[in-house]
Amino acid sequence: MFRAAALSLVLILVLVSFARSTRGQENESPPQSEPQSLGDVARQARATKASAPKSATVLDDDNLPKSKGGAGGAAAGSKTLSGDKQAYCDEVRQRKGPDAEQICAVMAIDMGSEYEDMTARYVELAKNVCGANGGHFPKSDPKDPTLAAQARELGQLSAKFSTMMDTELKAVKNSDTSLASLRMEKAREEYAAVPALDNNKDLSNQDKQKFDEIEEKYKSREHEEEKAAAQQRARGLRYVYDTARLQELCGQH
């Protein structure tokens, strides 16, 4: 059914790491080549899966996606999780993992009616179909006509989820690339205006002033790009955590 949650999570972590590393490189050397392609990132994710660090993304009112009612996370106030999501939140808290509160906050993000209805329907069907088959999706149509029809619908929802997730992960990559591109643009301008940066020389007062002026020039745009990228990552994480949540209901053989 669903792809392994671990690989998807590593992909998110690599995308986050890529955006952060780009910023660090600006302070150490001149601008480098264009950002990695999604394929390169995915290959890097697979290569580093075993040693990938825990996510350091901090979710709050400023970087959680906004819903019609305000901030989209648990920090937004009294937003109540649906029964199945609250059960999963309680479960991860009992496991006492370091990402438990982040998972609960991400579960509270309003992803829109299409996504929320789809995942809620998946949970409903999985409890019937996979619950009757030891927690796994049946290899062949169940003999019961009702279960057989529900199994087919469950497969369709799984395919739809996978397609939507691919789109969302690409949006995560694109938002991080946009932020990285802006930082590269800023770095190019800084190195052009302050050549001493290239040789790590002590900057004169005039050089420092030029550097500060460019930093101020890009400050607002960079903040907005950072905010947009963080919100997109939070949406990507919702797919990742829902993958793990739904796989527990209806995993593979």
Side-chain angles (χ1 to χ4, degrees):
M1 294 292 291
F2 287 96
R3 69 192 62 195
L7 179 58
S8 297
L9 179 55
V10 171
L11 179 56
I12 292 288
L13 293 175
V14 173
L15 292 173
V16 173
S17 175
F18 170 68
R20 288 176 178 164
S21 65
T22 302
R23 185 174 190 178
Q25 291 167 1
E26 294 166 6
N27 296 327
E28 299 172 0
S29 61
Q32 304 296 318
S33 58
E34 292 302 312
Q36 294 170 291
S37 67
L38 183 59
D40 291 337
V41 173
R43 283 189 287 275
Q44 182 181 351
R46 287 193 290 270
T48 59
K49 177 179 177 181
S51 60
K54 292 291 183 181
S55 172
T57 302
V58 178
L59 303 179
D60 54 29
D61 284 346
D62 189 49
N63 59 26
L64 280 168
K66 301 297 187 293
S67 66
K68 293 180 180 180
S78 59
K79 182 174 177 62
T80 303
L81 295 174
S82 62
D84 58 292
K85 287 188 284 188
Q86 184 62 57
Y88 185 68
C89 176
D90 293 340
E91 180 182 336
V92 296
R93 280 173 172 161
Q94 289 175 1
R95 295 173 187 168
K96 297 182 180 180
D99 293 335
E101 293 308 315
Q102 173 170 286
I103 291 173
C104 292
V106 170
M107 285 292 117
I109 293 173
D110 183 355
M111 298 287 284
S113 60
E114 180 183 14
Y115 181 87
E116 300 296 350
D117 291 345
M118 176 184 66
T119 51
R121 179 60 175 165
Y122 186 96
V123 170
E124 179 184 356
L125 294 172
K127 288 179 178 178
N128 294 334
V129 176
C130 301
N133 193 52
H136 299 289
F137 189 81
K139 291 183 177 180
S140 57
D141 282 352
K143 294 181 179 180
D144 181 276
T146 300
L147 285 178
Q150 291 179 343
R152 288 191 291 273
E153 183 182 353
L154 195 57
Q156 293 169 353
L157 289 179
S158 177
K160 181 178 180 180
F161 182 96
S162 181
T163 299
M164 292 175 67
M165 185 175 186
D166 284 342
T167 300
E168 200 70 43
L169 290 180
K170 288 177 182 177
V172 172
K173 196 268 181 181
N174 289 340
S175 64
D176 280 344
T177 297
S178 179
L179 174 59
S181 296
L182 177 63
R183 287 173 173 166
M184 287 180 180
E185 177 187 333
K186 180 184 72 171
R188 291 188 185 100
E189 188 170 335
E190 287 174 340
Y191 278 100
V194 188
L197 287 173
D198 191 27
N199 299 319
N200 295 319
K201 296 178 180 178
D202 292 334
L203 300 182
S204 65
N205 289 335
Q206 184 178 9
D207 283 341
K208 290 179 181 178
Q209 182 178 352
K210 290 180 180 178
F211 182 85
D212 289 342
E213 287 174 353
I214 295 172
E215 284 287 315
E216 185 63 28
K217 172 184 173 181
Y218 282 88
K219 183 177 180 180
S220 177
R221 289 173 60 194
E222 191 170 2
H223 174 73
E224 290 303 315
E225 290 282 359
E226 287 174 341
K227 184 177 179 181
Q231 290 179 354
Q232 187 59 60
R233 276 184 228 122
R235 286 182 58 87
L237 283 172
R238 174 65 189 278
Y239 276 85
V240 171
Y241 294 141
D242 272 339
T243 298
R245 176 171 71 99
L246 300 179
Q247 274 191 329
E248 290 186 3
L249 294 172
C250 202
Q252 295 177 324
H253 287 282

